[in-house]
Amino acid sequence: MPVIKINNTSVHVQEMNKGAKETILLIHGMFSNLSVYYFNIAPILAKQFHVVMYDLKSHGMSGKEKDGYDLNSLTDDLLALMENLELKSVHLVGYSFGGLVALRMASRFPGRVKKLAVIEAPDPGENERLGIMDMYSKEFLIDYINNFTDTTKFRMGKRQLEKNHRMYEYLFNETSIKSDLSKERGFFSGKEIGYIKQDTLLLYGKDSDCVPSGQTLYDRLTRSKIALLNGDHNLPLQQPEETAIRLKEFFEGWQSKFRQINNRIWQGLRL
């Protein structure tokens, strides 16, 4: 479980298949950690790619920080992480809030991002999501976990629930996260989204309330394509294999098509 120092804080990082030529860097969602990728999605991608995952500040096993939850600060952290790992450019994947970090990274540092994949990124201007922080309680978490279990078949033990509750209370009550996120309300409608020129894959669950956000991104990103999979906002846990395959095919690009053509030629020669 490697922990490295980035911008004066400790960051938990996991890597797979370091010897691969190309790197996919995965960003998890807010109030989650890198495990959303680690067990099911990352191993599939690592069959061909070098895969890097890390815990955002105050999440998982990374260090706790009082401030720096705006997208510019989080992308500064990501850039510093890439410098530390000597990664000149990567394919970038972000889930939920991590998708917003990935989008900002692509717009601020376009030379560091090859292709971009965004999974279930919400519009930060939606008041309902910001309001959850004000109404949060342990009872709210338990209700959410029960619904989460229904849609993902993933059961959270009492110890993990208590751990998550402590993390939420710390983030909501002792950090600048609420004020930092409120500054990002105009992200999807601002000019910055138009600066993103990378090939972009948008993955959303058919039953997710974030689908309108995906449509907004599709309309604004000139080189994007969108795919709706069976599921809701918990898509990486509901459809990990399908999600991984979609990502793998997208990042393979022409290499995948070349292999398909080559296989057809060999099959023809055998006839």
Side-chain angles (χ1 to χ4, degrees), residues 25-30 36-37 54 56 71 74-75 78 92-107 113 116-124 187-188 193 196 200-204 210 213 217 221 233 236:
L25 198 153
L26 304 168
I27 312 171
H28 67 78
M30 192 65 77
V36 73
Y37 299 114
Y54 72 106
L56 295 171
L71 295 178
L74 291 170
T75 49
L78 177 53
L92 194 57
V93 180
Y95 166 57
S96 193
F97 182 78
L100 304 184
V101 178
L103 287 163
R104 180 63 60 85
M105 188 71 181
S107 65
V113 180
L116 176 65
V118 174
I119 306 170
E120 279 290 318
D123 186 336
F187 185 29
F188 278 19
I193 286 290
I196 298 174
T200 303
L201 174 65
L202 306 169
L203 293 178
Y204 283 79
C210 289
S213 302
L217 289 174
L221 299 174
H233 189 63

Side-chain angles (χ1 to χ4, degrees), residues 50-270:
H50 171 214
V51 176
V52 177
M53 298 157 280
Y54 72 106
D55 286 332
L56 295 171
K57 61 181 67 175
S58 300
H59 292 72
M61 290 185 285
S62 288
K64 290 184 176 181
E65 296 296 329
K66 296 287 187 179
D67 51 31
Y69 296 92
D70 59 284
L71 295 178
N72 281 354
S73 295
L74 291 170
T75 49
D76 286 342
D77 293 342
L78 177 53
L79 181 64
L81 174 65
M82 290 179 62
E83 294 286 357
N84 184 284
L85 298 178
E86 299 182 349
L87 299 173
K88 184 176 181 181
S89 61
V90 299
H91 298 304
L92 194 57
V93 180
Y95 166 57
S96 193
F97 182 78
L100 304 184
V101 178
L103 287 163
R104 180 63 60 85
M105 188 71 181
S107 65
R108 287 187 73 201
F109 308 108
R112 309 303 292 262
V113 180
K114 295 178 180 179
K115 287 185 178 182
L116 176 65
V118 174
I119 306 170
E120 279 290 318
D123 186 336
E126 293 180 358
N127 292 326
E128 181 181 351
R129 294 185 182 278
L130 291 174
I132 289 175
M133 299 186 193
D134 295 321
M135 62 182 287
Y136 176 78
S137 66
K138 189 172 183 180
E139 290 71 26
F140 176 88
L141 175 61
I142 292 172
D143 183 67
Y144 172 78
I145 292 298
N146 288 336
N147 178 66
F148 177 83
T149 301
D150 290 341
T151 62
T152 64
K153 308 304 181 186
F154 177 83
R155 297 192 176 276
M156 184 176 294
K158 183 178 292 187
R159 181 180 296 180
Q160 186 62 43
L161 188 147
E162 289 292 340
K163 185 176 180 180
N164 283 10
H165 175 55
R166 291 194 298 271
M167 178 182 70
Y168 295 154
E169 285 203 316
Y170 173 77
L171 284 166
F172 295 163
N173 300 322
E174 300 183 43
T175 75
S176 63
I177 192 168
K178 285 190 280 189
S179 59
D180 287 349
L181 293 185
S182 67
K183 298 173 185 176
E184 307 294 349
R185 290 177 184 271
F187 185 29
F188 278 19
S189 58
K191 294 181 180 179
E192 194 173 0
I193 286 290
Y195 301 156
I196 298 174
K197 303 302 181 184
Q198 290 90 345
D199 290 343
T200 303
L201 174 65
L202 306 169
L203 293 178
Y204 283 79
K206 292 178 182 178
D207 299 321
S208 171
D209 58 2
C210 289
V211 171
S213 302
Q215 187 62 51
T216 297
L217 289 174
Y218 176 69
D219 292 339
R220 297 216 60 198
L221 299 174
T222 56
R223 299 183 63 174
S224 67
K225 60 181 180 179
I226 189 168
L228 300 180
L229 309 183
N230 292 325
D232 54 32
H233 189 63
N234 296 311
L235 195 61
L237 292 172
Q238 294 166 329
Q239 302 288 350
E241 184 174 353
E242 178 69 13
T243 298
I245 290 172
R246 295 287 186 127
L247 293 173
K248 183 172 178 289
E249 290 177 347
F250 173 64
F251 291 130
E252 283 180 338
W254 67 268
Q255 299 175 20
S256 177
K257 292 181 180 178
F258 179 80
R259 281 199 298 272
Q260 291 175 7
I261 294 171
N262 196 40
N263 287 337
R264 288 178 190 146
I265 291 173
W266 278 107
Q267 288 173 4
L269 291 174
R270 289 182 185 137

Side-chain angles (χ1 to χ4, degrees), residues 16-17 26 37-49 51 53 244 248:
M16 295 181 178
N17 192 12
L26 304 168
Y37 299 114
Y38 186 81
F39 296 103
N40 296 309
I41 294 175
I44 294 175
L45 299 176
K47 291 177 181 178
Q48 180 176 342
F49 296 93
V51 176
M53 298 157 280
K248 183 172 178 289

